[in-house]
Amino acid sequence: MVWLSDLRKRVYRGLRYRVTRPSPPIAPFPFVGPVVVVGSAPVSHKPIGWGSDFLTITVNGSQSVIESWGTEVPDITFLMYNQIYGTTPNAVAVRGVLKGRRTGILYVLPWEKNDRERLEKGLCAFDYKYDSLHIVDRYERMALLDRIAGLRSAELDSDSKCSNGMNAVLFALHNGAPAVIITGINPNSTGHSYNSAGLARQHVQMDKEIIAKLVSEGRPIFTADPTVSADLGIPLWAGAIKPLACHVPSDGRRQ
């Protein structure tokens, strides 16, 4: 029975999470300037003032977006595990976009730590290159959601997970970004910038919940997309970091 299987997974993952106490992934260098997280929604905009002092994180196939900005190699790429060997139209399209390209630091999530060789072979199959490769397992991803957004998820289905774009936003905040600017990330949209299939977007409710929580807490997140700003209440990036209300974590300490 499905409900019994889900219950077992929930209990097992919850126990393992509490026992192992995983830490969210740490970047190999500090984020001292604005971080731009580029998703693959059909509409995106280059942030005002974007330049070499901005760090750019692309998500799945959104590397094609920054090429129109004059940049071929992102600083960091977040790649979902299914894009490596998946046979869905979206996975096939992502591999087609990334074929022969490269990134700086590549994070693949979630992936088993002891299965690195298979991952490297999969990336090699579509000739995607990187300066360094990092594996983020399920429990590190759960820790990212827990520590930064204050939300717990056993990741039983698509609705209980956030998108890879939101994982990148949480990652940037966790690593001290003074401002995180999103573009091409719109839970209300359908389709992707790198294909014409018009596929429905997953993780919509969880993404909206996280965005609402981060905005209400005064976290330094912005969007370069006016429609997204109007729809979701995310401050529109104006080209400079403005003072924001400090965040008060659940333990009461001010940051």
Side-chain angles (χ1 to χ4, degrees), residues 130-174:
Y130 43 84
D131 295 334
S132 63
L133 173 63
H134 298 264
I135 292 173
V136 178
D137 67 23
R138 180 186 304 280
Y139 296 92
E140 290 170 327
R141 184 169 71 174
M142 289 167 61
L144 192 60
L145 180 66
D146 181 12
R147 304 284 180 84
I148 309 307
L151 299 171
R152 292 281 183 95
S153 172
E155 300 195 346
L156 297 181
D157 53 31
S158 178
D159 291 338
S160 64
K161 305 172 190 175
C162 64
S163 68
N164 224 16
M166 288 312 303
N167 280 315
V169 170
L170 297 174
F171 172 79
L173 290 171
H174 178 63

Side-chain angles (χ1 to χ4, degrees), residues 241-245:
I241 301 173
K242 297 179 180 179
L244 295 171

